[in-house]
Structure formats: structure tokens, C-alpha cells
Amino acid sequence: QVQLVESGGGLVQAGGSLRLSCAASGSFFRIEAMGWYRQAPGNQRELVASITTDGTTGYPDSVKGRFTISRDNAKNTVYLQMDSVKPEDTAVYYCNARIATMLTIISYFWGQGTQVTVSS
């Protein structure tokens, strides 16, 4: 059974920084792409950052230049560094990973979510 466990959420003032972590555990063959999503009340879940196995990253315009995704393959962990945060970044942040549980079996897994609240 694969689990993704997030940490690092909390309350931060506008303009401040926060770092989220997500560690994968359990039995699997390899972790492929990883990403961070967020969902604010009344809104759909949206992608805020993604990273491939070779380290290629992608961001929507809303966070580009402020958020940085990185991964430590040895620790099966992905990070989201959030700088210059804004009140509109307030949401529950979810980790997502595309994982090969067997050589030819690919599944997507979600973390439980961590609340990020930005005060103005």
C-alpha cells in the first residue's frame, strides 16, 4: 500500500514563505511524476506545480516565480517552496504522485492535504 504524507502547512502572513513536504512510503517500483495541487472553498482543485523524473518543472502563471517544486529521489519526497505568498494562495494543498507499483502498473496517489492560510 502506497501512502503520501504531507507536512508543513500552517498560517503565514502575506509576503512570507512556507515550505511543504510530501513523503511517499510503502511498496512500489518507482515514482514517476509528482505534483502539488490546491483547492480553495468553492473552487475546483488546480495544479500549482509539477516535476518529472528528470527534474523538469511546470507552473501555472498564478504561482510562477513565487513557488518552487523540487524532489529528493533518495528520500521519495517532493517539496513545494512557497515565497511571496498572497491571501489568494489560501487553500488545502494536496500532493499527487504517479507511481509504478509494479513494472507495468501505473497508479495515481493523493496525500491527505495540508491547510495553508495566508493572512493579509
Side-chain angles (χ1 to χ4, degrees):
Q1 184 73 11
V2 176
Q3 281 192 319
L4 300 180
V5 179
E6 298 127 337
S7 61
L11 176 64
V12 60
Q13 285 191 332
S17 297
L18 208 59
R19 189 191 195 207
L20 307 182
S21 300
C22 172
S25 63
S27 178
F28 49 85
F29 185 67
R30 69 175 176 272
I31 300 175
E32 299 185 345
M34 304 184 81
W36 287 95
Y37 290 71
R38 68 186 180 188
Q39 187 167 20
N43 290 356
Q44 290 189 336
R45 191 172 295 188
E46 61 173 352
L47 176 68
V48 295
S50 63
I51 186 166
T52 63
T53 305
D54 64 1
T56 301
T57 59
Y59 308 92
D61 288 342
S62 59
V63 306
K64 194 174 294 183
R66 300 189 299 118
F67 290 8
T68 303
I69 188 171
S70 60
R71 64 190 287 174
D72 184 333
N73 292 328
K75 295 182 179 180
N76 295 323
T77 299
V78 63
Y79 306 95
L80 184 68
Q81 178 67 39
M82 305 168 60
D83 298 318
S84 302
V85 296
K86 305 175 181 179
E88 51 263 44
D89 294 323
T90 295
V92 178
Y93 283 71
Y94 297 91
C95 172
N96 175 269
R98 173 183 158 100
I99 295 177
T101 52
M102 300 290 286
L103 183 60
T104 58
I105 298 176
I106 306 293
S107 299
Y108 290 87
F109 296 89
W110 291 92
Q112 80 284 0
T114 185
Q115 177 69 46
V116 172
T117 302
V118 182
S119 62
S120 56

